[in-house]
Amino acid sequence: MSIQLTILGCHSATPRSDAHPTSQYLEINNRHFLIDCGEGTQMQLRKNKIKFSRIKHVFISHLHGDHFFGLIGLISTFGLLNRPHELHIYGPKDLKVIIETQLRLTKSWVDFPLHFHLLSSDKSELIFEDKQVSVYTIPLNHRIYTNGFLFKEKRKDRKLALDKIKSYPDIYICDYHKIKKGFDFVRENGEIISNDLLTESPHEPLSYAFCSDTSYHESIIPIIKEVDLLYHEATFLEDNKELAEKTKHSTAKEAATIAKKAMVKRLIIGHFSNRYKDEQRFLKEASEVFAEVKLAETDKVFTIINKD
Amino acid sequence: MSIQLTILGCHSATPRSDAHPTSQYLEINNRHFLIDCGEGTQMQLRKNKIKFSRIKHVFISHLHGDHFFGLIGLISTFGLLNRPHELHIYGPKDLKVIIETQLRLTKSWVDFPLHFHLLSSDKSELIFEDKQVSVYTIPLNHRIYTNGFLFKEKRKDRKLALDKIKSYPDIYICDYHKIKKGFDFVRENGEIISNDLLTESPHEPLSYAFCSDTSYHESIIPIIKEVDLLYHEATFLEDNKELAEKTKHSTAKEAATIAKKAMVKRLIIGHFSNRYKDEQRFLKEASEVFAEVKLAETDKVFTIINKD
């Protein structure tokens, strides 16, 4: 079980050639997700040699340009490449109008199925689920309707301890399914063999929470509690706390405080304002509150492997 | 008098980190124009250290994404930077709906005046004019409604030959205006002093024609005749002539043929399909027809100074 997070862009507002707007590519349990899609994301995907065909689900946090202006280009490119796979897009309700208006007026309708899953709830909700992964919204507090996203591996079945099982000749292969699900084994004479004598615990499921853009907002703490990896925006430092409040962004200290209160295992901060030349200042401010913090960097890959 | 053309992007269809879609920045007679605005143009402008405030006129050839998907991001950035200057956008009529839909639904109305000049004529027309420069459309033949653009310096007044004028004591400063405009000088005794004895010819006005995207289309020849610099698309080589015809693009040979027939002074070709790894093949094919040809290259600056 592993999480691999590629930072395609981690700067706020106005993009520059060395400061790409928000986008992340997440691999979790062999599922591949694109989170936000600022201008230039398709070039960043190419640069990081990420296969376009793997992207079947795109999550858009909110409709500020630095988080979604690259989406129409990505969809259009998928169309030009004759992509056969369907594409699912999760985002605020007006996103569908914006994309479809452009496809219609540019006469660029794509041939692959394009499904919009439009969000408008202010409560956390399950928006994607398969056998491996669940995705929930994390309602954030920004100037416009905004969600973060929580990606959770599903707990796997218990692992069979085959060396131990073999000492019970009356346990057959057909019994394994129930044992993996955690049931005790009942012998013909009524003797109960406790499940923990036959199995081992599976890996602990990993989880990743993406929270951008938002002011300091403690309501998210129960949702992101104890996640293995939290990305939390840190647009400003404390020296611009008033500006952070006014624009509904967070400081590095606030991001670290959220991480600490939610008892997450690791924190990445990003969405840095271009006004700061030295991003190490973000690291310094955050690490004074929460030690396990790293800076987002364009093209950097963060990997978490659960070896339990 | 000079033309300075910066190639911000010159590749077709699907952008990559090393293949930017179409955009050009033109300086002609101290006027500054942006021509087309594919995704990532604002990053390319930054990279080339082009001042955003200089851009007051943007010309969009057609509504295929690789020619305008960067425009909403550029407008949005101008807004975030609190630009005071007005911005004029010239392009197909649906462009206004596309941009305004996004500004409205993302609640990102900009404070500077944003003027759309919407094009729908299939005839060449004057769309911009000031004291220095005129801009005309060049109707092209593509899959959707498309215009190229012809930028022409205006002819300056004749230059006073002051050493010669001084030999006529009855010519006063107040007479200079008419003489510069080409009038002969009439002395009190009725003697006519021919204007060419008093003035020299001004520099020949320079002109630049931008033609992308289009099939081989001889109707443009009278419009672009004898321009100093022609950019003509060359998406394909002759080995893909059928594909060029089908998609209404040109081959390098066709671009060169247009240049030759229009007797232009210099040709730049671009909008190369990503299928070709060696762009020198475009140069070879075109130069067999027209010698004064160069390849467009991202971030390359072409300068023409009129020293006549």
Side-chain angles (χ1 to χ4, degrees):
Chain A
M1 285 176 137
S2 68
I3 286 177
Q4 189 166 298
L5 181 72
T6 305
I7 307 293
L8 301 170
C10 56
H11 288 84
S12 69
T14 63
R16 294 158 190 257
S17 58
D18 59 349
H20 297 273
T22 302
S23 186
Q24 301 184 354
Y25 178 68
L26 176 69
E27 293 185 60
I28 177 169
N29 237 353
N30 289 318
R31 296 292 180 269
H32 308 84
F33 302 110
L34 188 67
I35 310 167
D36 278 352
C37 191
E39 183 175 353
T41 293
Q42 59 175 322
M43 287 92 130
Q44 283 296 97
L45 286 166
R46 295 271 200 195
K47 188 177 167 198
N48 284 275
K49 300 192 188 313
I50 292 166
K51 284 186 183 170
F52 283 6
S53 58
R54 284 187 168 168
I55 299 171
K56 298 194 177 69
H57 301 273
V58 181
F59 297 85
I60 300 295
S61 63
H62 66 301
L63 297 185
H64 280 157
D66 55 332
H67 293 256
F68 88 99
F69 278 164
L71 183 59
I72 180 64
L74 188 69
I75 292 170
S76 177
T77 289
F78 285 172
L80 288 170
L81 297 176
N82 294 318
R83 169 194 177 97
H85 316 293
E86 56 188 23
L87 183 68
H88 295 266
I89 296 170
Y90 307 76
K93 65 180 171 53
D94 289 330
L95 183 57
K96 186 169 190 267
V97 179
I98 289 173
I99 297 297
E100 290 189 348
T101 298
Q102 293 183 84
L103 294 176
R104 178 169 51 81
L105 293 178
T106 63
K107 300 178 178 58
S108 307
W109 285 112
V110 293
D111 289 332
F112 61 86
L114 186 59
H115 300 293
F116 285 89
H117 305 265
L118 299 178
L119 309 175
S120 56
S121 172
D122 58 358
K123 300 226 168 14
S124 177
E125 55 184 350
L126 177 68
I127 55 173
F128 170 84
E129 186 175 33
D130 69 4
K131 285 182 180 171
Q132 305 288 338
V133 178
S134 306
V135 184
Y136 298 84
T137 56
I138 307 168
L140 300 176
N141 184 30
H142 193 41
R143 301 194 301 278
I144 58 172
Y145 178 72
T146 304
N147 286 294
F149 302 103
L150 172 65
F151 300 83
K152 290 175 76 168
E153 285 184 338
K154 288 195 171 171
R155 188 171 291 276
K156 299 239 188 225
D157 289 344
R158 294 186 64 79
K159 292 190 280 187
L160 295 174
L162 286 174
D163 53 336
K164 293 176 185 167
I165 285 178
K166 280 175 186 163
S167 60
Y168 301 95
D170 48 344
I171 299 182
Y172 297 101
I173 289 175
C174 59
D175 299 314
Y176 288 2
H177 180 74
K178 279 188 76 176
I179 293 171
K180 284 200 282 186
K181 293 291 178 196
F183 290 96
D184 296 335
F185 181 72
V186 185
R187 310 187 85 164
E188 279 194 12
N189 62 4
E191 182 189 353
I192 291 172
I193 301 169
S194 172
N195 186 278
D196 57 9
L197 293 175
L198 304 172
T199 64
E200 293 165 4
S201 295
H203 294 303
E204 275 299 303
L206 291 172
S207 52
Y208 170 61
F210 167 88
C211 296
S212 183
D213 297 0
T214 187
S215 63
Y216 180 82
H217 190 47
E218 293 197 352
S219 304
I220 70 174
I221 291 173
I223 306 170
I224 65 170
K225 198 162 189 181
E226 296 177 359
V227 294
D228 294 279
L229 183 61
L230 167 66
Y231 171 89
H232 194 290
E233 74 125 294
T235 307
F236 297 105
L237 295 173
E238 284 286 305
D239 64 357
N240 270 309
K241 193 170 170 131
E242 278 183 25
L243 189 54
E245 280 171 13
K246 185 181 161 197
T247 57
K248 295 208 172 182
H249 281 300
S250 300
T251 68
K253 182 181 176 184
E254 287 172 333
T257 304
I258 289 288
K260 185 179 178 183
K261 290 192 175 182
M263 294 180 287
V264 309
K265 297 205 180 73
R266 303 161 194 85
L267 170 66
I268 299 171
I269 51 175
H271 201 259
F272 311 119
S273 164
N274 288 327
R275 78 192 59 217
Y276 298 103
K277 300 301 166 215
D278 178 11
E279 287 168 9
Q280 292 300 316
R281 294 175 64 195
F282 287 87
L283 191 65
K284 185 169 182 295
E285 183 175 295
S287 62
E288 284 169 6
V289 175
F290 187 80
E292 287 297 317
V293 57
K294 292 215 161 85
L295 294 181
E297 288 173 40
T298 305
D299 304 328
K300 185 163 181 171
V301 180
F302 294 90
T303 304
I304 299 175
I305 297 172
N306 197 336
K307 292 177 184 165
D308 293 345
Chain B
M1 284 176 137
S2 68
I3 286 177
Q4 189 166 299
L5 181 72
T6 304
I7 307 293
L8 302 170
C10 57
H11 288 84
S12 70
T14 63
R16 295 158 190 259
S17 57
D18 59 350
H20 297 273
T22 301
S23 186
Q24 301 183 355
Y25 178 68
L26 176 68
E27 293 185 59
I28 177 168
N29 235 354
N30 289 319
R31 297 292 180 269
H32 308 83
F33 302 110
L34 187 68
I35 309 167
D36 279 350
C37 190
E39 182 175 355
T41 293
Q42 60 176 321
M43 287 91 131
Q44 284 296 98
L45 286 167
R46 296 269 201 196
K47 187 177 167 198
N48 284 277
K49 302 194 186 312
I50 293 166
K51 284 187 182 168
F52 283 6
S53 58
R54 284 187 170 169
I55 299 171
K56 299 194 176 71
H57 301 273
V58 181
F59 297 85
I60 300 295
S61 63
H62 66 301
L63 297 185
H64 280 158
D66 54 333
H67 293 256
F68 86 100
F69 278 164
L71 182 59
I72 181 65
L74 188 68
I75 292 170
S76 177
T77 289
F78 285 172
L80 288 169
L81 297 176
N82 294 318
R83 169 197 178 95
H85 316 292
E86 56 187 24
L87 183 68
H88 294 266
I89 296 171
Y90 308 77
K93 64 180 172 52
D94 289 330
L95 183 58
K96 185 169 191 265
V97 178
I98 289 173
I99 297 298
E100 290 190 347
T101 298
Q102 293 183 84
L103 293 176
R104 177 170 50 83
L105 293 178
T106 63
K107 299 178 178 60
S108 306
W109 286 112
V110 292
D111 288 332
F112 59 87
L114 186 59
H115 300 291
F116 285 90
H117 304 264
L118 300 177
L119 308 175
S120 57
S121 172
D122 58 359
K123 301 230 171 8
S124 176
E125 54 184 349
L126 176 69
I127 55 173
F128 170 84
E129 187 176 33
D130 68 4
K131 285 183 181 172
Q132 305 288 337
V133 178
S134 306
V135 185
Y136 298 83
T137 56
I138 307 169
L140 300 176
N141 185 28
H142 193 41
R143 302 194 301 281
I144 59 174
Y145 178 72
T146 304
N147 287 295
F149 302 102
L150 171 65
F151 300 83
K152 290 174 76 168
E153 285 183 338
K154 288 197 172 171
R155 188 172 291 277
K156 300 237 190 226
D157 289 345
R158 294 186 65 80
K159 291 190 281 188
L160 296 175
L162 287 173
D163 51 336
K164 293 175 186 167
I165 287 178
K166 282 177 185 163
S167 61
Y168 301 95
D170 48 341
I171 299 181
Y172 296 100
I173 289 176
C174 57
D175 300 314
Y176 288 1
H177 180 73
K178 278 187 79 174
I179 293 171
K180 283 198 283 185
K181 293 293 176 194
F183 291 94
D184 297 334
F185 182 72
V186 183
R187 309 187 84 164
E188 280 193 15
N189 63 5
E191 182 189 355
I192 293 172
I193 301 169
S194 174
N195 187 277
D196 56 9
L197 294 175
L198 303 173
T199 63
E200 294 164 6
S201 294
H203 294 302
E204 274 301 300
L206 291 171
S207 52
Y208 170 61
F210 167 88
C211 295
S212 184
D213 297 4
T214 186
S215 63
Y216 180 81
H217 190 49
E218 293 197 352
S219 304
I220 69 175
I221 291 173
I223 307 170
I224 65 171
K225 200 161 185 180
E226 297 178 357
V227 294
D228 294 279
L229 183 62
L230 167 66
Y231 171 89
H232 194 290
E233 75 124 291
T235 308
F236 297 105
L237 295 173
E238 284 287 304
D239 64 358
N240 271 309
K241 191 169 172 133
E242 278 183 24
L243 190 54
E245 279 171 14
K246 186 180 161 199
T247 57
K248 295 207 173 182
H249 282 298
S250 301
T251 67
K253 183 181 175 184
E254 288 172 333
T257 304
I258 290 288
K260 186 179 178 185
K261 290 193 176 183
M263 295 180 285
V264 310
K265 297 208 180 71
R266 304 161 194 85
L267 169 66
I268 300 170
I269 50 174
H271 201 260
F272 311 118
S273 163
N274 289 327
R275 78 193 59 217
Y276 298 104
K277 299 302 165 214
D278 178 11
E279 288 168 9
Q280 291 301 316
R281 294 175 64 197
F282 287 89
L283 190 64
K284 185 170 181 294
E285 184 175 296
S287 62
E288 285 169 7
V289 175
F290 187 81
E292 287 298 318
V293 57
K294 293 217 161 86
L295 294 181
E297 288 174 42
T298 305
D299 304 328
K300 185 162 180 171
V301 180
F302 294 90
T303 304
I304 299 176
I305 298 173
N306 198 336
K307 292 176 183 164
D308 293 346

